[in-house]
Amino acid sequence: MKRYKAYCFDLDGTVYRGDEPILEAVEFVNKLTRSGINPFFVTNNASKTPAQLLAKLTSYGIKTSESQIMTSAIAASLFIKEQHPDARVYMIGEAGLHDALVSQELNLVEKDADVFVMGIDRDITYEKLARACVEVRNGAKFIATNSDKVFPTERGLIPGNGSFVALIEAATDVKALYIGKPQPHLLEAIMVKHGFTKEEMVMIGDNYTTDILAGINFGIDTVHVNTGVTSAEQVKQESAGPTYYLEDLSQWKI
Ligand SMILES: [Mg+2]
């Protein structure tokens, strides 16, 4: 397999499963670090801050830093800062999105917004949804951190951000602009910030419809690992496949 400069790892299903580390992945990440390569972590999870995700990775023995972590909340904030730098922004979301918007010095408001950005909010209320609906109907640009309709937990699949975004889309007849994987914004943000070329980058993940398609849409190599949501068998049914298939990351010799 080719050697890359930017190894971009999905998190859940790739580096850990819920609260359990995937040991082959942790070992591979540490091997990269020891050989002088700082891997990137690319997640659609907009609820957590880089500091919270870093604490989790550190607890598994991975040595990295906040600057190596790219969430859909950070990418959404960078996108808004670039496209609408002076916008009044109404948000629905948790600390991950709030902190990312604040770190871009965006102007957060409760009404008369130019941009409405939506991430998962486990304290969602009818009032917040009603306010979002009014803002979008009054012309606010509608941006969603990610389109994941459900996510896996111990009790089964539960509603993800995409399900709430779909509710606002239904109530406004406006389609959201999505930032997270399979859109290429997270990978693009890493490329731009660090000056990589696409040939130097690889996306590694367990989920075909988010990770692998994000890499394909962006135009970089992809590695599917058979440790999470989409089985290798399912991925092989797709017309556009990943560059490489691995059972787990212990198979990748560097
Ligand atoms: Mg995953």
Side-chain angles (χ1 to χ4, degrees), residues 10-16 181 205-207 210-211 228-229:
D10 167 57
L11 287 176
D12 214 347
T14 301
V15 175
Y16 49 71
K181 300 172 285 184
D206 65 295
N207 187 326
T210 54
D211 306 319
V229 168

Short mmCIF file of all heavy atoms in Angstrom, two decimals, residues 10-16 181 205-207 210-211 228-229, ligand 1:
data_model
loop_
_atom_site.label_atom_id
_atom_site.label_comp_id
_atom_site.label_asym_id
_atom_site.label_seq_id
_atom_site.Cartn_x
_atom_site.Cartn_y
_atom_site.Cartn_z
N ASP A 10 -11.77 8.19 10.47
CA ASP A 10 -13.07 8.33 11.11
C ASP A 10 -12.89 7.87 12.57
O ASP A 10 -11.92 7.18 12.89
CB ASP A 10 -14.07 7.44 10.37
CG ASP A 10 -15.36 7.28 11.16
OD1 ASP A 10 -15.97 8.31 11.48
OD2 ASP A 10 -15.71 6.12 11.48
N LEU A 11 -13.80 8.22 13.44
CA LEU A 11 -13.66 7.81 14.85
C LEU A 11 -14.53 6.60 15.18
O LEU A 11 -14.04 5.49 15.28
CB LEU A 11 -13.97 9.00 15.78
CG LEU A 11 -12.87 10.08 15.82
CD1 LEU A 11 -13.28 11.25 16.69
CD2 LEU A 11 -11.55 9.49 16.32
N ASP A 12 -15.86 6.81 15.34
CA ASP A 12 -16.70 5.70 15.82
C ASP A 12 -16.80 4.59 14.75
O ASP A 12 -17.14 4.87 13.61
CB ASP A 12 -18.10 6.22 16.19
CG ASP A 12 -18.69 5.45 17.37
OD1 ASP A 12 -18.15 4.38 17.72
OD2 ASP A 12 -19.69 5.93 17.92
N GLY A 13 -16.46 3.38 15.15
CA GLY A 13 -16.47 2.25 14.21
C GLY A 13 -15.12 2.03 13.55
O GLY A 13 -14.90 1.02 12.89
N THR A 14 -14.22 3.01 13.72
CA THR A 14 -12.90 2.92 13.09
C THR A 14 -11.80 2.90 14.15
O THR A 14 -10.94 2.01 14.15
CB THR A 14 -12.69 4.09 12.11
OG1 THR A 14 -13.72 4.04 11.12
CG2 THR A 14 -11.32 4.02 11.44
N VAL A 15 -11.82 3.88 15.06
CA VAL A 15 -10.80 3.96 16.13
C VAL A 15 -11.37 3.40 17.45
O VAL A 15 -10.64 2.82 18.24
CB VAL A 15 -10.32 5.42 16.32
CG1 VAL A 15 -9.37 5.54 17.49
CG2 VAL A 15 -9.65 5.93 15.04
N TYR A 16 -12.66 3.61 17.65
CA TYR A 16 -13.33 3.01 18.81
C TYR A 16 -14.75 2.63 18.44
O TYR A 16 -15.26 3.02 17.38
CB TYR A 16 -13.31 3.95 20.02
CG TYR A 16 -13.76 5.38 19.77
CD1 TYR A 16 -15.09 5.69 19.52
CD2 TYR A 16 -12.85 6.43 19.83
CE1 TYR A 16 -15.50 7.00 19.32
CE2 TYR A 16 -13.25 7.75 19.62
CZ TYR A 16 -14.57 8.02 19.36
OH TYR A 16 -14.98 9.31 19.15
N LYS A 181 -19.38 14.56 6.34
CA LYS A 181 -19.24 13.47 5.37
C LYS A 181 -20.64 12.94 5.01
O LYS A 181 -21.45 12.83 5.91
CB LYS A 181 -18.41 12.33 6.00
CG LYS A 181 -17.02 12.73 6.43
CD LYS A 181 -16.32 11.61 7.21
CE LYS A 181 -16.84 11.47 8.62
NZ LYS A 181 -16.12 10.46 9.45
N GLY A 205 -12.22 4.63 6.97
CA GLY A 205 -13.45 4.58 7.74
C GLY A 205 -14.23 3.30 7.57
O GLY A 205 -13.94 2.48 6.69
N ASP A 206 -15.25 3.16 8.43
CA ASP A 206 -16.06 1.93 8.46
C ASP A 206 -17.37 2.10 7.70
O ASP A 206 -18.04 1.11 7.40
CB ASP A 206 -16.40 1.56 9.91
CG ASP A 206 -17.30 2.61 10.56
OD1 ASP A 206 -16.82 3.76 10.73
OD2 ASP A 206 -18.45 2.31 10.89
N ASN A 207 -17.77 3.35 7.45
CA ASN A 207 -19.11 3.61 6.92
C ASN A 207 -19.02 4.01 5.44
O ASN A 207 -18.41 5.04 5.11
CB ASN A 207 -19.75 4.73 7.76
CG ASN A 207 -21.21 4.96 7.41
OD1 ASN A 207 -21.62 4.83 6.26
ND2 ASN A 207 -22.01 5.30 8.42
N THR A 210 -20.82 7.50 4.44
CA THR A 210 -20.23 8.76 4.91
C THR A 210 -18.72 8.80 4.57
O THR A 210 -18.29 9.58 3.72
CB THR A 210 -20.42 8.94 6.43
OG1 THR A 210 -19.93 7.79 7.11
CG2 THR A 210 -21.87 9.14 6.76
N ASP A 211 -17.93 7.92 5.19
CA ASP A 211 -16.46 7.99 5.07
C ASP A 211 -15.95 7.75 3.65
O ASP A 211 -15.19 8.55 3.11
CB ASP A 211 -15.81 6.95 5.99
CG ASP A 211 -16.29 7.08 7.41
OD1 ASP A 211 -16.43 8.23 7.88
OD2 ASP A 211 -16.54 6.05 8.07
N GLY A 228 -17.00 -1.75 11.64
CA GLY A 228 -18.09 -0.88 12.10
C GLY A 228 -19.40 -1.09 11.36
O GLY A 228 -19.87 -2.21 11.22
N VAL A 229 -19.95 0.03 10.84
CA VAL A 229 -21.32 0.06 10.33
C VAL A 229 -21.52 -0.75 9.05
O VAL A 229 -22.43 -1.58 8.98
CB VAL A 229 -21.75 1.54 10.09
CG1 VAL A 229 -23.04 1.62 9.29
CG2 VAL A 229 -21.93 2.26 11.41
MG MG B 1 -17.69 5.47 11.71
#
